[in-house]
Amino acid sequence: MSDDNEYAIENADAGASLEIPMEAGQVKKGGYMNIKGRPCKVLSISVSKTGKHGHAKCNFETVDIFNGKKIMDMVPSTHGTTVPIVNKTEWDLMNIDDEDFVSLFNDAGESKEDIKLPTYPENLAQEIRDCWNDGENQVVVTVQAAMGMEEIIAFKKVE
């Protein structure tokens, strides 16, 4: 082997997938599914009868978990779809900078500074800013992660 070949490993993970495959007929109301590459929460499902081509169709009414847009999709019940792995974690809010990036810390001492205040719902960012009151109050935010995206979805003031 030659020494001129250097390998640069920039990232290492356990190879965990961001989504898992699932048959469309197995997706339940209140669960999650991917539509057009976006993680969505299933609001309702209606299943049509089998037609002349032999497949029952599942009509999904969903809402994007990061921007709140309603998305409809129709998938044959026996065909595959993907379900995102959604994680929610709580972080202590330490700072909000001028560009709306937040500094967060968790109980394990890890920090996170690459998340902005949320843009959806419209008033959530201002509510967090008002509750935090330039560091006067201790605030815990809930960060939802799915498909490589992270967003603050809730907060609470610690008494």
Side-chain angles (χ1 to χ4, degrees), residues 15-36:
S17 178
L18 299 174
E19 57 191 8
I20 54 174
M22 184 177 281
E23 202 172 86
Q26 300 300 312
V27 176
K28 303 291 179 217
K29 179 180 174 181
Y32 299 100
M33 70 182 291
N34 287 328
I35 299 178
K36 299 177 184 133

Side-chain angles (χ1 to χ4, degrees), residues 38-39 43 62-71 119-121:
R38 299 287 302 178
L43 300 176
T62 66
V63 63
D64 188 302
I65 63 174
F66 291 119
N67 64 23
K69 291 184 181 172
K70 280 199 173 185
I71 302 172
T119 55
Y120 168 81

